[in-house]
Amino acid sequence: MDKPVVARRLDRRRRRRARRGQHKTTLYRWWPSKGALLGAALVNGTHLGFPLPDTGSLQGDLEAVLGSVVTLLTTPTASKIAVAALGAITQSPELAAHARTFFANRLAKEQPILDRAITRGELAPDTDPALLMHLMDMLAGAAWLRIAFRQVPLDDAFVTRTVHTALHGALVRP
């Protein structure tokens, strides 16, 4: 993009903020930096939250969680926050700290999924508590890669197929 186009866009944004009574200095009175502002949106915002499912099975609960992640990444408001945070996180240690807090809180909220699966006998009683983090990394990572990076549309079977592969693997069993 050439400089005149960028300048016009920035000027348009400034005028919109001025009409709403918002000025850059107002934002920075509350948040000392862009990293702090994005971090607050990530950790305290409601756009990235979703209810904890209890479908009666590990497969069903993980499908519900992955379905919620896919919805978040394809809903304009939530996807803008998530993609902006991802883009800025490598440049901002402050934002990286907020992201660690966000994901630690999210995993703590999702822990009952693993606990219920153990109670139902779907997982062994001595299952490593870190399993949930590994599963969520695989599932959410697949969605992020397809939606945000590859920009490939997801078919109706994506959620079920991805969870099934994460739980059962891709190898043929003898």
Side-chain angles (χ1 to χ4, degrees), residues 105-127:
N105 291 345
R106 188 71 220 165
L107 277 172
K109 289 177 187 173
E110 293 165 346
Q111 186 60 41
I113 292 172
L114 197 65
D115 297 339
R116 289 191 305 254
I118 291 169
T119 301
R120 288 190 297 261
E122 294 175 283
L123 295 173
D126 62 345
T127 296

Side-chain angles (χ1 to χ4, degrees), residues 21-106:
Q22 297 173 325
H23 298 281
K24 190 174 180 179
T25 55
T26 303
L27 289 175
Y28 287 119
R29 240 181 263 146
W30 292 320
W31 295 281
S33 65
K34 288 180 185 177
L37 174 61
L38 270 172
L42 185 65
V43 174
N44 303 318
T46 58
H47 295 297
L48 301 180
F50 48 84
L52 182 68
D54 187 358
T55 64
S57 73
L58 179 59
Q59 173 99 19
D61 288 352
L62 292 176
E63 285 179 13
V65 170
L66 182 55
S68 294
V69 169
V70 167
T71 299
L72 288 174
L73 292 175
T74 55
T75 301
T77 303
S79 68
K80 286 180 184 175
I81 293 169
V83 171
L86 179 66
I89 204 165
T90 59
Q91 304 301 315
S92 171
E94 180 180 28
L95 182 56
H98 287 294
R100 282 190 296 278
T101 299
F102 171 80
F103 287 111
N105 291 345
R106 188 71 220 165

